Amino acid sequence: MSCTVSMTVNGKTVSREVEERTLLVAFLREHLGLTGTHVGCDTSQCGACVVLVDGRSVKSCTALAVQADGAAVTTIEGLAAADGTLHPMQAAFREHHGLQCGFCTPGMVMSAVDLVRENPNPTEAEIREGLEGNICRCTGYHNIVKAVKAGAEAMAGTQATPVAAE
């Protein structure tokens, strides 16, 4: 059975006819062409599919598109400013080498943005706990944690302080 789903994605109102069982990640990737949201596991374990729904992180591989009907969805493509200026968290990941192959990075960045929204000045332990639902198979998490700390401080307009060595 199909239905019409309407939502705001990255600031633009979209409406599509979809099957009721369409996952939000499939809606974003297949219906809207927003392929920055990745599918890594299909079981909500890896976090590569994280997007923001009404400002909160959601694993889009386990949410139905109809559940986001009427919501504001932000994907990694919509995080940067319209002129291409990176969001402070994106810039911090780049500056602090918080990525390697990049597959997990969109979900990691989106989760970090929500983490900082909830806790504007997280400790290293709080960052590690906040990212537990995101898996990176390439890096040690040290640079990711440094990036999130720096991104949090940039979002708050303060200077970054070093994260302790592992």
Side-chain angles (χ1 to χ4, degrees), residues 30-95:
E30 298 165 16
H31 293 269
L32 302 182
L34 298 171
T35 58
T37 303
H38 295 156
V39 179
C41 66
D42 277 332
T43 60
S44 192
Q45 300 296 311
C46 75
C49 66
V50 173
V51 297
L52 301 178
V53 177
D54 292 332
R56 298 193 180 274
S57 61
V58 170
K59 290 185 176 178
S60 63
C61 75
T62 55
L64 296 171
V66 296
Q67 291 175 291
D69 190 47
V73 177
T74 305
T75 68
I76 194 71
E77 292 94 341
L79 203 55
D83 68 359
T85 302
L86 294 179
H87 182 279
M89 191 62 71
Q90 290 172 303
F93 266 71
R94 182 180 66 190
E95 180 180 338

Side-chain angles (χ1 to χ4, degrees), residues 4-8 14-15 24 53-54 64-73:
T4 302
V5 175
S6 299
M7 63 187 79
T8 302
V14 297
S15 187
L24 181 56
V53 177
D54 292 332
L64 296 171
V66 296
Q67 291 175 291
D69 190 47
V73 177

Side-chain angles (χ1 to χ4, degrees), residues 109-133:
V109 168
M110 301 307 281
S111 292
V113 168
D114 187 36
L115 168 68
V116 171
R117 182 190 59 77
E118 289 280 330
N119 181 357
N121 189 23
T123 65
E124 178 179 350
E126 290 168 333
I127 293 168
R128 289 180 182 279
E129 182 180 335
L131 296 178
E132 281 183 350

Side-chain angles (χ1 to χ4, degrees), residues 12-31:
K12 297 177 184 170
T13 302
V14 297
S15 187
R16 299 287 190 282
E17 188 79 17
V18 297
E19 290 186 37
E20 290 178 345
R21 64 184 181 172
T22 301
L23 293 172
L24 181 56
V25 69
F27 180 78
L28 296 169
R29 291 178 61 82
E30 298 165 16
H31 293 269

